[in-house]
Amino acid sequence: MSEHEFGVGSAHAKAILFGEHAVVYGAPAVAIPVPQLRVSVLARCAPERSNGVRVTDAGAGVPVPDRWSRTGADDPALRELVTNFFVATETRSRAIDLTVDCRIPPGRGLGSSAACARAVVYALGDLFDRPVDARLTFDLVQTAERVAHGSPSGVDTVATGSAVPIWFQGGVAKELVMDLDGVFVIADSGVSSATSVAVSELRRRFDGDPAAKAGFLERSARITAAAVEDLAHARVGAVGHRMTENQALLGEFGLGIAETDRLVTAAVAVGCAGAKLSGGGLGGCVVALADVAHPVEAVETALRVAGAVATWTVPADLSAR
Ligand code: MEV
């Protein structure tokens, strides 16, 4: 195995349909890829330095994750990831230059940090001609996510590398059958929020109220299990209803804000089967399910009128065949 002049890697965004937050405590979650929102990374060895990681923003997309550009070479999550890559693949440690072109808005629950870390792992594997299988990729991305977020469930880590919807629980992912006659519309509220803050605020609440925690996990798991059944039977209306149920649960636990609540209300008012916030909450994106009777353009327009700064669509028949 020899070193190449450069290595490239890419990954994509994700949206969580069911089970965010509960998944951190071992309950199941369902996530879909958002393939059109991508990050690409170009990796090279930096002969002028002996070690460290330098990140350059390719500048064409949205900025690289804040903490990467802010702290540059000293970003702990990135340093940990690169160091662990060298150890795990028995590669001699080197100084690395990364050029990152990230088109995934950060802080919107779209998995930008996990996708960036995944793209770095692939780029390093390519640069040093090292095979990085799914298990090693998961472990490496999780080391970076752990430094950045504390206790990531791993759902973002897997979903940002999966071309198909996934069911995820306790570190185990399965491809999910999804053949709905509809389209998921994702709308960005424009409000940035850190997953780590949402996760730690909820944890604080749970620590003070174990019964509330048990209730949240039980209800989330029940909604997700029912949704998986509905997905398997292509019941669009029922899937949408479960989304709205999950939204109510997340709202009860303080994870909604006025901007995302407004988007959910607008999506349902325009005829979507259901809608909910997606990811950590306290800002970020909502995901709505439009059935065939409701033109996607009308849904996107309604969401923009309600304050969305951007929308993206993902077909709801994305299963592996
Ligand atoms: C973030 O996209 C999803 C959360 O459940 C956190 C996690 O799973 O690590 C809020």
Side-chain angles (χ1 to χ4, degrees):
M1 284 181 286
S2 61
E3 179 184 314
H4 296 144
E5 197 179 326
F6 61 85
V8 290
S10 74
H12 54 73
K14 62 83 194 156
I16 297 188
L17 294 187
F18 298 100
E20 51 272 274
H21 285 288
V23 68
V24 172
Y25 300 88
V30 171
I32 54 169
V34 185
Q36 65 269 53
L37 291 178
R38 300 195 70 79
V39 49
S40 304
V41 170
L42 176 77
R44 288 179 210 256
C45 290
E48 76 277 13
R49 304 194 315 277
S50 58
N51 61 33
V53 188
R54 188 167 58 200
V55 178
T56 307
D57 185 351
V62 297
V64 295
D66 277 356
R67 56 177 198 283
W68 286 13
S69 47
R70 206 173 43 235
T71 55
D74 293 318
D75 171 68
L78 193 53
R79 188 182 281 274
E80 180 94 348
L81 186 157
V82 174
T83 303
N84 286 358
F85 172 87
F86 287 137
V87 172
T89 60
E90 299 177 354
T91 302
R92 184 170 64 82
S93 170
R94 230 72 67 74
I96 299 293
D97 281 344
L98 299 172
T99 306
V100 179
D101 180 3
C102 182
R103 313 272 172 144
I104 308 171
R108 302 299 207 279
L110 292 168
S112 77
S113 64
C116 286
R118 178 174 278 276
V120 169
V121 171
Y122 289 157
L124 293 174
D126 190 28
L127 174 64
F128 294 108
D129 202 12
R130 294 289 194 270
V132 274
D133 63 14
R135 184 73 240 175
L136 178 57
T137 303
F138 180 84
D139 290 344
L140 290 171
V141 175
Q142 281 291 87
T143 60
E145 287 284 272
R146 232 170 261 126
V147 175
H149 294 312
S151 55
S153 65
V155 66
D156 291 13
T157 296
V158 178
T160 52
S162 172
V164 296
I166 58 160
W167 173 94
F168 182 93
Q169 183 171 26
V172 177
K174 287 186 209 150
E175 291 182 358
L176 205 60
V177 175
M178 190 176 288
D179 198 10
L180 297 179
D181 217 355
V183 174
F184 291 109
V185 183
I186 296 155
D188 181 359
S189 69
V191 180
S192 184
S193 81
T195 301
S196 54
V197 171
V199 169
S200 59
E201 281 189 12
L202 192 59
R203 187 182 297 282
R204 205 171 312 121
R205 169 151 187 199
F206 284 169
D207 286 347
D209 190 349
K213 175 181 177 182
F216 178 85
L217 297 184
E218 189 273 321
R219 279 169 67 193
S220 183
R222 192 159 33 80
I223 292 167
T224 304
V228 169
E229 269 299 297
D230 293 331
L231 286 168
H233 294 92
R235 298 193 279 248
V236 181
V239 172
H241 177 72
R242 307 282 178 210
M243 290 169 71
T244 306
E245 246 188 300
N246 202 163
Q247 162 70 10
L249 176 62
L250 295 165
E252 274 175 47
F253 280 78
L255 294 159
I257 60 166
E259 288 84 346
T260 49
D261 287 353
R262 229 182 347 260
L263 295 178
V264 168
T265 303
V268 174
V270 79
C272 284
K276 62 182 276 295
L277 66 83
S278 178
L282 302 180
C285 288
V286 307
V287 56
L289 175 56
D291 62 29
V292 280
H294 295 91
V296 171
E297 298 72 29
V299 173
E300 288 184 287
T301 302
L303 287 165
R304 287 199 182 254
V305 168
V309 297
T311 56
W312 304 278
T313 59
V314 178
D317 59 349
L318 268 176
S319 304
R321 290 176 205 282

